[in-house]
């Protein structure tokens, strides 16, 4: 599983894919698939040329947060992070728009831990969202672990929060 920039083949013409991210499932030893036709992609690549193939995802999806922490626990994949506020495409196309600037300030506050977090429960087989929980605390990078049927989230304020399903 991973969270990374969308591949450039997601868009026609020039791409902003390095600004847009997605959550994805991929096999440990990925299968490869043919690259799309040259007219469908844009590459910024040293040495020129274009790849003939790239890894095949088992699933991919957009999520409402910026993934800071992920953990796989039995049959559920958990992802935690601050809310995603900025529309990256709008911010690149019109960075001086007052609405874009306001969203950028809110995103900066979210990244600093001042806007809480979103915890997603994801089905690791197909990437579908099983549950969403909003919290007032903000997670630190890679600060989510699973043990004893519970999740433990390290937060930006230095505390550790124990999360368990109601029994």
């Amino acid at each position: 599983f991973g969270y990374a920039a969308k591949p450039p083949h997601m868009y026609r013409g020039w791409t902003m894919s390095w600004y847009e991210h997605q959550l994805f499932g991929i096999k440990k030893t990925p299968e490869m698939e043919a690259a799309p036709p040259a007219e469908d992609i844009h590459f910024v690549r040293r040495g020129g040329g274009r790849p003939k193939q790239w890894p095949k995802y088992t699933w991919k999806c957009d999520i409402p947060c910026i993934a800071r922490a992920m953990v796989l626990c039995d049959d559920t994949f958990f992802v935690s992070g601050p809310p995603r506020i900025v529309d990256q495409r709008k911010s690149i196309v019109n960075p001086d728009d007052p609405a874009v600037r306001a969203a950028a300030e809110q995103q900066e506050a979210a990244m600093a831990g001042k806007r809480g977090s979103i915890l997603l429960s994801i089905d690791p087989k197909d990437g579908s969202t099983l549950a969403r929980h909003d919290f007032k605390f903000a997670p630190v990078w890679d600060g989510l672990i699973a043990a004893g049927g519970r999740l433990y989230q390290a937060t930006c304020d230095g505390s550790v929060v124990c999360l368990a399903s109601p029994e």
Side-chain angles (χ1 to χ4, degrees):
F1 304 102
Y3 180 75
K6 289 182 176 179
H9 66 277
M10 301 293 280
Y11 309 103
R12 295 184 67 84
W14 78 276
T15 182
M16 292 180 280
S17 67
W18 48 86
Y19 299 110
E20 296 178 331
H21 291 74
Q22 67 186 1
L23 190 66
F24 60 87
I26 193 166
K27 293 181 178 179
K28 286 184 181 180
T29 304
E31 295 175 11
M32 301 300 283
E33 63 184 359
E39 63 271 8
D40 288 350
I41 55 177
H42 168 77
F43 284 101
V44 177
R45 187 175 156 170
R46 285 186 172 170
R50 72 177 200 79
K52 295 186 179 8
Q53 56 179 235
W54 45 48
K56 181 179 180 181
Y57 297 116
T58 54
W59 55 263
K60 56 191 174 214
C61 64
D62 292 327
I63 57 174
C65 62
I66 297 169
R68 270 203 183 156
M70 301 183 289
V71 66
L72 178 63
C73 181
D74 296 326
D75 59 352
T76 307
F77 179 48
F78 294 96
V79 179
S80 180
R84 186 177 61 196
I85 299 165
V86 170
D87 179 325
Q88 295 293 349
R89 287 178 172 229
K90 287 180 184 176
S91 71
I92 297 299
V93 173
N94 196 358
D96 295 323
D97 182 317
V100 168
R101 288 185 172 264
E105 288 176 12
Q106 290 178 26
Q107 188 69 69
E108 187 174 340
M111 296 303 288
K114 298 175 182 167
R115 304 260 323 193
S117 65
I118 298 170
L119 174 68
L120 300 172
S121 303
I122 306 287
D123 185 330
K125 294 176 194 87
D126 63 10
S128 62
T129 301
L130 303 171
R132 173 187 167 148
H133 303 279
D134 294 74
F135 295 105
K136 293 188 186 289
F137 58 80
V140 297
W141 178 257
D142 208 17
L144 186 63
I145 63 168
R150 296 182 176 162
L151 291 176
Y152 296 89
Q153 176 71 68
T155 68
C156 289
D157 68 5
S159 61
V160 175
V161 177
C162 176
L163 305 166
S165 62
E167 296 182 37

